Amino acid sequence: MKKTPTRLADGRELIYYDLRDDAVRDAVDRRPLERTVTTSEIRRDVLLGDSVAVASHRQGRTYLPPADECPLCPSRGDRLSEIPDSSYDVVVFENRFPSLAGDSGRCEVVCFTSDHNASFADLSEEQARLVLDAWTDRTAELSHLPAVEQVFCFENRGQEIGVTLGHPHGQIYAYPFTTPRTALMLRSLAAHKEANGGENLFDAVLERELAGRRVVLRAEHWVAFVPYAAHWPYEVHLYPRRRVPDLLALDEAARTEFPQVYLELLRRFDRIFGDREAPTPYIAAWHQAPFGAMEKFDEGAALSRDDFALHLELFTIRRTSGKLKFLAGSESGMNVFINDVPPEAAAQRLREVASS
């Protein structure tokens, strides 16, 4: 992997990640952009104990442009985009309309390929590995920023999810706090450790799933399963068999095998409903240990970052062909999910649509 950092016309950072070591990236952003001004603010909800990012400048972000005006395609001729070069492998750059900025963290865009009509599932294993390397590199870099406590790499796919740019891409959020979902995991982790003689809860969950009916894929270094209490109709958790706290700690064997396993999972998601004209919308979310202090989540047992288990959660909001799972009263009002598809049935379906 070759890494080439540069700057866009408004001062934002952009980084090319190339498969070839001889790639030259010297194109200049020719757009007449003024420096980005953001209004991101973190407000604390004292009743719920969580945080809300208020970012009014995002109202003006680009919304569903036609393909020939896509800002994530390479710049060619007089059509200038966020990527100054005429081609690229993988690119990461600071979001022009970030939810988090400055002391409130940072938001980045990850372009998986220059092919506007592709998806992550269409990538070669070599290209998918390059994306993994980019996620890992950005996690390392962002973790050193003074304001950052947790790094979250994710992909939203499909207009049903709320995607406003059709080009295959994901995002990275660097939060100035530990997110509520991770905090819940850490408190459960500490309580289980205290109550069970130091046993790791992630290890116990993985062992239980490996012995059950919800495993979707088994590989030498990774395992994918539908969790016992899945929130979404089709939800898969992907774990490395060797517990590590973050992407940085994956060994070479796990990195090499990851593209094979992950691409197969994504392709199965596209086959769940058998509708070639309507690709499955999904969210793919990496869960990594926070880089902040762990003791604030202790419930009697001391925690370290090594207690956390890196994993990816992949889920779709579609519950059956042509129908979406909406977060209505119980889910949105009380955070109690109601799942229409038994996890065992979802796992069976995902096994049935294996590649030929």
Side-chain angles (χ1 to χ4, degrees), residues 147-349:
V148 173
E149 189 166 310
Q150 185 171 6
V151 179
F152 176 46
C153 307
F154 65 100
E155 179 191 2
N156 297 329
R157 195 256 197 132
Q159 290 187 34
E160 300 94 329
I161 296 292
V163 172
T164 58
L165 297 175
H167 196 102
H169 73 288
Q171 299 181 66
I172 302 175
Y173 277 21
Y175 296 100
F177 51 80
T178 296
T179 61
R181 189 176 179 88
T182 303
L184 286 174
M185 290 186 203
L186 293 172
R187 292 191 172 97
S188 296
L189 184 63
H192 184 90
K193 185 176 183 180
E194 174 71 13
N196 294 275
E199 180 185 62
N200 185 277
L201 179 57
F202 286 110
D203 292 350
V205 167
L206 187 55
E207 182 179 357
R208 181 185 69 181
E209 294 295 353
L210 281 168
R213 297 185 292 142
R214 291 178 296 275
V215 173
V216 175
L217 277 174
R218 298 173 191 262
E220 184 178 357
H221 302 285
W222 295 86
V223 60
F225 59 87
V226 177
Y228 171 74
H231 289 60
W232 298 93
Y234 289 91
E235 174 182 340
V236 174
H237 293 191
L238 177 62
Y239 276 69
R241 288 181 182 260
R242 182 178 70 88
R243 172 166 42 92
V244 295
D246 52 36
L247 290 166
L248 284 68
L250 286 173
D251 60 24
E252 183 58 29
R255 292 180 182 280
T256 299
E257 189 180 71
F258 170 77
Q260 306 163 26
V261 176
Y262 187 49
L263 290 171
E264 173 62 19
L265 273 182
L266 293 180
R267 290 162 186 166
R268 291 191 191 192
F269 257 59
D270 272 343
R271 289 192 292 268
I272 296 174
F273 306 108
D275 189 346
R276 293 174 179 263
E277 301 302 317
T280 301
Y282 65 74
I283 292 174
W286 280 109
H287 291 264
Q288 306 190 79
F291 292 94
M294 303 290 285
E295 57 266 17
K296 56 189 171 184
F297 306 106
D298 293 352
E299 300 287 346
L303 288 180
S304 72
R305 293 190 76 249
D306 289 336
D307 288 313
F308 194 85
L310 167 76
H311 61 285
L312 181 139
E313 297 184 7
L314 173 67
F315 59 90
T316 178
I317 63 170
R318 189 175 291 167
R319 57 187 174 87
T320 189
S321 183
K323 297 179 181 178
L324 300 180
K325 165 65 179 176
F326 292 102
L327 299 189
S330 185
E331 292 88 355
S332 295
M334 297 302 284
N335 201 28
V336 177
F337 276 69
I338 300 169
N339 191 349
D340 304 307
V341 180
E344 293 75 17
Q348 177 63 32
R349 177 61 180 153

Side-chain angles (χ1 to χ4, degrees), residues 30 68 73-81 83-88 114-116:
R30 294 180 285 129
D68 60 357
C73 288
S75 292
R76 289 173 182 158
D78 294 330
R79 194 186 80 170
L80 306 179
S81 73
I83 295 91
D85 216 324
S86 59
S87 66
Y88 64 84
S114 60
D115 184 351
H116 180 86

